């Protein structure tokens, strides 16, 4: 009886892609036309735009000639990435011997099959170890990639699929991001256009930055070589290939950068950005547009130009002491740890004196995206003394910018950038810090202590339990800060603003009711998360240590599953990437914690050492740690504190930490 069944064959899927091999560089160089037209020095902004556009066209056409885009068939059934030609031939040989043995039932074929099977398994294990070794070696500084790789290899429960649902297209995201910023700007009413000039400081002529300095080939080579090989959709050639082509491409690139600095003009091709929607947290619903944030992906050479300007601007600000002293974001020798050391030191000193403290954590909504360009230019001119050609460059940088959303091979319509600085740019964080410069003067008027890290602003004040009237200044300060932010098109998110009451247990109950008097702020009396560290009302850090311990053991269990596949060196890199980094993060804050709390972290380190060295549970841990050259947690804390003290005494730490360690000068 003939049985007929319907078989549905799925049509093969194809994706576009280029095949770039080691020989692509030589073919590209041989096919590259004469670049003399790109070496002429432009005398107008129009000529600079034309040269930049021509360079992109020449490079993209040459790349299309030597490595054209082709449709590649997508394999529906994916093999293991470490499965290579050698393991494939061994598997084929093993199957052949198995069939011969089952057909003839001869002992000689059975023995040959067993030996071949053993060789195949050993080769497969070696290939898998080599593949994992290369992944770890090439991405040892990329914890996000390592986390996803380890989760995939251990078949662990990974976060839900974060692919953007098919119901959304690029125009949906573009319209949502644009409307969101417009709505925030519209909610800010009664804007006083003169408010941002009231605290402008006088800049002496010697402190003015009139123009930027041209760079040489050596400096350009260092910048391009040290940059990450990230590629934007708008790049004419992939960044990795551009680095290999640097000997033939550096002269036109240097000409464009120096011409941009001298003319005070940013080429138009450098002012277009591709927005990548990125979900804010893995556990959020990907079907809600509000759960995505826009990340701008700029052309590679645009970032190089920004790095040149950023280096000279930072040098000027540092030389003339124009930085906000208590702004730790994106500054040399500053970090979240130095900021938290300063804050916790002040709060602990106040607590030792029997005072209670209120810590207010302010939260801004889309701070980088609502910056007003006219106000930012005013800050650059009146607060930092940038004038002339340099100021003209920043005007060009902020004007006539466009962005688009590219999703699933389709691009949205171009949308003008009317406000804000691009997230993902080099200059964005620095310009935001300059934009926020007047805020420090407002807070100082009330005698309130504060600290900033980019858009995270923290206010804190200490007082005796019987002098609570002093805390009314904090209420007035928060109100004035809100007004200033409104005048500067920044929206303070009161729903996410948190308050923590810190002080002795016998004094804090008298101030619980006062927390409710801070206008619009959500009261948090137990714990708050500040720059990645969980703070409690007693500054005991017990909740923070418990959180670190739980997270570290989660990653250690995943590493233990891979331990048999990888050598000690690779396993140690995973331990340092996932665990040691967490144990060491802001560990200078734990210097005064009791031994019972520190021992919880020591248990984590001991477990990691046993997994790494494959030691038994009851083996003495001290020789194991010594063989790995690992300091125990107690001494790691002491080392970090001594390191901060050394930096503070040798000009390698922020001024607010250096002031805490006055040098002793003997009288004789």
């Amino acid at each position: 009886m003939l049985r007929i069944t319907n078989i549905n064959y799925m049509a093969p899927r194809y994706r576009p892609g280029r095949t770039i091999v080691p020989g692509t560089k030589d073919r590209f160089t041989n096919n590259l036309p004469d670049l003399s037209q790109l070496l002429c020095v432009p005398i107008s902004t129009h000529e600079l735009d034309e040269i930049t556009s021509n360079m992109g066209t020449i490079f993209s056409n040459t790349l299309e000639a030597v490595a054209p885009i082709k449709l590649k068939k997508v394999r529906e059934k994916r093999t293991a990435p470490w499965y290579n030609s050698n393991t494939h031939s061994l598997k084929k040989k093993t199957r052949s011997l198995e069939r011969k043995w089952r057909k003839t039932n001869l002992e000689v074929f059975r023995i040959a099959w067993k030996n071949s099977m053993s060789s195949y398994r050993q080769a497969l294990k070696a290939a898998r170890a080599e593949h994992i070794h290369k992944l770890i070696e090439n991405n040892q500084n990329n914890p996000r990639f390592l986390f996803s790789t380890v989760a995939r290899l251990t078949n662990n429960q990974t976060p839900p699929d974060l692919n953007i649902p098919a119901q959304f297209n690029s125009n949906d995201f573009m319209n949502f991001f644009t409307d969101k910023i417009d709505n925030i700007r519209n909610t800010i009413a009664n804007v006083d256009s003169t408010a941002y000039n009231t605290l402008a400081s006088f800049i002496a002529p010697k402190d003015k930055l009139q123009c930027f300095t041209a760079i040489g080939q050596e400096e350009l080579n260092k910048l391009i070589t040290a940059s990450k090989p990230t590629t934007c959709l708008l790049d004419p050639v992939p960044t990795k290939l551009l680095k290999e082509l640097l000997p033939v491409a550096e002269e036109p690139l240097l000409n464009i950068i120096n011409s941009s600095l001298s003319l005070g003009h940013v080429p138009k091709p450098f002012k277009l950005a591709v927005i990548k929607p990125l979900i804010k947290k893995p556990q959020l619903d990907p079907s809600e547009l509000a759960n995505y944030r826009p990340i701008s992906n700029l052309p590679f050479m645009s970032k190089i130009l920004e790095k040149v300007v950023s280096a000279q601007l930072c040098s000027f600000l540092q030389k003339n002491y124009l930085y906000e002293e208590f702004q730790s974001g994106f500054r040399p020798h500053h970090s979240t740890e130095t900021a938290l050391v300063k804050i916790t030191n002040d709060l602990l000193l106040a607590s030792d004196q029997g005072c209670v403290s209120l810590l207010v954590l302010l939260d801004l909504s889309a701070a980088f995206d609502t910056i007003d360009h006219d106000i930012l230019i005013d800050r650059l001119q009146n607060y930092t003394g940038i004038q002339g050609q340099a100021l003209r460059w920043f005007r060009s940088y902020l004007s006539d910018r466009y962005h688009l959303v590219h999703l699933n091979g389709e691009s949205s319509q171009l949308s003008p950038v009317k406000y804000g600085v691009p997230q993902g740019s080099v200059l964005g964080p620095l310009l935001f810090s300059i934009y926020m410069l007047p805020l420090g003067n407002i807070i100082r008027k009330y005698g309130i202590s504060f600290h900033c890290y980019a858009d995270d602003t923290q206010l804190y004040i200490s007082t005796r339990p019987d002098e609570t009237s002093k805390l009314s200044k904090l209420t007035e300060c928060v109100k004035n800060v809100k007004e200033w932010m409104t005048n500067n098109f920044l929206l303070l998110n009161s729903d996410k603003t948190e308050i923590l009451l810190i002080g002795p247990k016998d004094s804090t109950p008298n101030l619980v009711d006062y927390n409710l008097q801070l206008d619009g702020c959500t009261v948090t009396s137990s714990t708050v998360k500040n720059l990645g560290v969980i703070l409690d009302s007693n500054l005991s850090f017990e909740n923070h240590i418990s959180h670190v311990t739980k997270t570290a053991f989660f990653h250690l269990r995943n590493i233990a599953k891979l331990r048999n596949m990888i050598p000690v060196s690779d396993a140690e890199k995973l331990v340092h990437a996932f665990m040691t980094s967490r144990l060491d993060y802001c560990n200078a804050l734990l210097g005064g914690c009791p031994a019972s709390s520190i021992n919880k972290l020591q248990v984590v380190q001991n477990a990691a050492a046993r997994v790494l060295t494959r030691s038994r549970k009851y083996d003495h841990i001290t020789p194991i740690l010594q063989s790995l050259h690992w300091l125990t947690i107690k001494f790691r804390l002491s080392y970090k504190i001594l390191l901060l003290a050394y930096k503070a005494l040798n000009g390698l730490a922020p001024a607010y930490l250096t002031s805490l360690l006055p040098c002793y000068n003997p009288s004789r």
Side-chain angles (χ1 to χ4, degrees), residues 297-357:
N297 195 2
L298 300 170
F300 177 73
M301 286 313 303
S302 172
K303 293 183 179 180
I304 297 299
L305 176 59
E306 289 189 34
K307 286 185 178 181
V308 174
V309 174
S310 177
Q312 299 187 27
L313 179 59
C314 288
S315 176
F316 172 77
L317 296 176
Q318 189 170 359
K319 179 182 178 181
N320 295 281
Y321 304 101
L322 297 174
Y323 278 114
E324 166 60 54
E325 180 183 1
F326 299 111
Q327 170 63 263
S328 296
F330 311 103
R331 293 179 59 185
H333 309 312
H334 293 65
S335 65
T336 55
E337 185 163 20
T338 60
L340 288 171
V341 166
K342 168 63 176 173
I343 295 171
T344 54
N345 179 75
D346 293 345
L347 296 175
L348 286 172
L349 288 177
S351 183
D352 289 343
Q353 296 172 1
C355 297
V356 293
S357 304

Side-chain angles (χ1 to χ4, degrees), residues 179-281:
D179 294 342
K180 177 183 177 182
I181 303 304
D182 289 338
N183 292 335
I184 291 177
R185 299 269 302 194
N186 292 333
T187 56
I188 303 174
N190 301 323
V191 177
D192 184 3
S193 60
T194 62
Y196 54 84
N197 288 324
T198 55
L199 294 173
S201 57
F202 175 75
I203 303 295
K206 64 177 181 180
D207 295 329
K208 293 180 180 178
L209 178 63
Q210 295 286 350
C211 60
F212 295 114
T213 306
I215 64 172
Q217 289 187 356
E218 184 178 355
E219 184 176 353
L220 178 63
N221 288 338
K222 288 182 179 179
L223 285 174
I224 294 180
T225 305
S227 299
K228 295 181 179 180
T230 54
T231 299
C232 174
L233 180 69
L234 305 172
D235 287 329
V237 294
T239 304
K240 185 177 180 180
L241 180 60
L242 180 64
K243 290 186 175 184
E244 298 176 357
L245 298 170
L246 201 54
V248 297
E250 62 181 357
E251 289 189 18
L253 295 177
L254 186 64
N255 180 37
I256 291 174
I257 290 177
N258 287 335
S259 298
S260 173
L261 299 178
S262 61
L263 294 174
H265 176 73
V266 179
K268 285 186 178 180
F270 290 175
K271 295 194 288 185
L272 178 62
V274 178
I275 292 180
K276 177 184 178 182
L278 184 66
I279 197 161
K280 296 177 181 179
K281 294 181 180 180

Side-chain angles (χ1 to χ4, degrees), residues 5 63 80 142 191 195 244 293 340 388 406 413 442 528 551 603 624 639 667:
T5 58
L63 180 64
N142 188 354
V191 177
E244 298 176 357
R293 64 163 52 96
L340 288 171
H406 185 79
Q413 57 187 0
I442 293 176
V528 296
T551 306
V603 170
I624 298 175
Y639 174 77
S667 58

Side-chain angles (χ1 to χ4, degrees), residues 374-391:
D374 293 334
I375 298 178
L376 178 56
I377 292 296
D378 181 81
R379 297 278 193 274
L380 292 169
Q381 185 173 6
N382 294 324
Y383 275 78
T384 61
I386 297 177
Q387 297 183 357
Q389 210 76 349
L391 186 64

